[in-house]
Amino acid sequence: MQFGSHPPAHRTLVHISDTHLLAGGARLYDRFAVEDNLRRTLDRVEQAGEGADALVFTGDLTDLGEPDAYLRLRRIVEPVAERLGAPIAWVAGNHDERSEMRRDLLDEEPSQKAIFHAWDLAGLRLIALDSTVPGWHHGEIDDAQLDWLRGKLAEPAPLGTILALHHPPLPSHVPLFDVLELRGQDRLADVIRGTDVRAILAGHLHYAMHGTFAGVPVSVAAATCYTMDVAREPQRVNGMDAGQSFSLVHVYDDTITHTTVPVHGAEPTAAFDLDFYARLAAMTPDERLEAFSRKAPRR
Ligand SMILES: [Fe+2]
Ligand SMILES: [Fe+2]
């Protein structure tokens, strides 16, 4: 259905981040019901994500890299992905452990090698990078990955490329996150500048943030586990069990949009039903403007 000047999006991705699951379904810090929050997120994804071309999880999939946490994660997410008919792009975060993630989530041989991959979503290239540094919480992308990425990007994809990595290549006004930032950002910028990379998806911050990097828009999805209360002064920013969200990424010819979807919904005050859309669809563009854009006179 197209009423405006843009045809419908070519591709849609669901961008979820920082699930931080624990073995045995435990609460994070004995407080945050991370598994319930993930299930609630996925209920909303099933509401909003019809026609999704991929589910992208930008890291900190588990909190401690426990085998059972990965098994629980896939038991919860895989059936949803199957119902949506969408592949899952799992991205490693600093709270993950490469060996366990490979063995228990990806069905691969356990090893400490970086986890990176490229998908062809019918012309849209999605690339997951591993920005984790084993034993540390800050990020860095190693030379081997940068070389691989350079090779991949040498040939443009029909609908361009979206990169997904855990540590965003952006500053944060929260000092805690500055310590744990992505290092070597210049080297990543050199690889992607002038290529067909159209968007960068990231996580790690536990709050939604947007910026640009090497001329490319960066979208950080907030977490599903808990989020950072950035209304507090920067030195006092801390976690809260509120504000969880994920993003819908719509890929158009000329732009890519990132729509933040709150995990905790509420009853809408009024809903436009399908009949309303059908009536609009039957109108001429001028009639539609008259019916839906014309301001009612003030009484
Ligand atoms: Fe996280
Ligand atoms: Fe993180």
Side-chain angles (χ1 to χ4, degrees):
M1 204 175 288
Q2 181 191 341
F3 293 150
S5 53
H6 296 275
H10 292 298
R11 300 285 174 275
T12 302
L13 307 183
V14 177
H15 175 197
I16 300 168
S17 206
D18 293 81
T19 46
H20 283 259
L21 289 203
L22 285 159
R27 283 175 177 251
L28 182 61
Y29 310 137
D30 293 327
R31 181 174 166 205
F32 302 114
V34 292
E35 212 167 281
D36 287 349
N37 288 347
L38 173 60
R39 288 182 200 280
R40 212 163 282 152
T41 302
L42 293 172
D43 286 347
R44 299 282 279 170
V45 166
E46 290 208 73
Q47 260 187 305
E50 197 187 308
D53 296 286
L55 304 182
V56 185
F57 285 77
T58 47
D60 285 356
L61 310 170
T62 66
D63 192 60
L64 298 169
E66 301 155 303
D68 184 54
Y70 287 113
L71 295 174
R72 299 178 79 90
L73 179 65
R74 66 191 298 181
R75 271 203 299 271
I76 295 170
V77 177
E78 282 176 352
V80 175
E82 215 159 282
R83 281 197 290 276
L84 291 171
I88 308 169
W90 298 114
V91 179
N94 52 293
H95 281 265
D96 290 302
E97 294 293 337
R98 287 175 176 174
S99 286
E100 286 81 351
M101 183 172 158
R102 280 183 181 279
R103 186 189 60 208
D104 299 309
L105 187 64
L106 305 176
D107 290 331
E108 294 177 3
E109 284 300 305
S111 92
Q112 282 295 318
K113 283 193 292 189
I115 298 168
F116 51 97
H117 193 72
W119 292 261
D120 176 2
L121 305 174
L124 175 69
R125 181 163 51 197
L126 171 66
I127 292 182
L129 296 175
D130 187 339
S131 61
T132 70
V133 182
W136 299 86
H137 282 300
H138 67 264
E140 189 154 30
I141 297 170
D142 59 37
D143 288 337
Q145 271 187 90
L146 289 177
D147 287 345
W148 173 83
L149 180 61
R150 196 179 287 111
K152 282 276 169 207
L153 297 178
E155 186 136 331
L159 294 175
T161 296
I162 293 181
L163 289 187
L165 77 172
H166 181 65
H167 297 78
L170 290 177
S172 170
H173 74 288
V174 181
L176 282 175
F177 284 109
D178 261 9
V179 179
L180 306 182
E181 70 179 358
L182 182 72
R183 295 188 168 198
Q185 293 183 23
D186 289 355
R187 293 184 302 130
L188 177 62
D190 287 345
V191 174
I192 68 175
R193 195 175 279 116
T195 66
D196 73 342
V197 175
R198 300 178 63 194
I200 298 173
L201 311 182
H204 189 50
L205 302 181
H206 293 220
Y207 63 91
M209 189 176 77
H210 309 277
T212 57
F213 175 72
V216 178
V218 180
S219 175
V220 179
T224 68
C225 60
Y226 67 87
T227 73
M228 287 296 181
D229 184 359
V230 285
R232 294 161 67 97
E233 62 181 284
Q235 285 80 4
R236 291 178 185 275
V237 165
N238 228 315
M240 61 175 179
D241 198 4
Q244 289 91 341
S245 63
F246 63 95
S247 297
L248 290 175
V249 182
H250 288 109
V251 179
Y252 298 89
D253 275 331
D254 301 330
T255 192
I256 293 178
T257 60
H258 305 265
T259 303
T260 302
V261 185
V263 166
H264 299 275
E267 276 305 304
T269 52
F272 300 119
D273 59 18
L274 293 177
D275 286 350
F276 179 77
Y277 282 97
R279 283 202 301 279
L280 280 186
M283 294 176 185
T284 66
D286 283 347
E287 287 169 343
R288 261 198 299 275
L289 271 189
E290 195 62 42
F292 198 61
S293 174
R294 170 84 71 189
K295 280 182 163 182
R298 199 195 285 167
R299 288 163 204 256

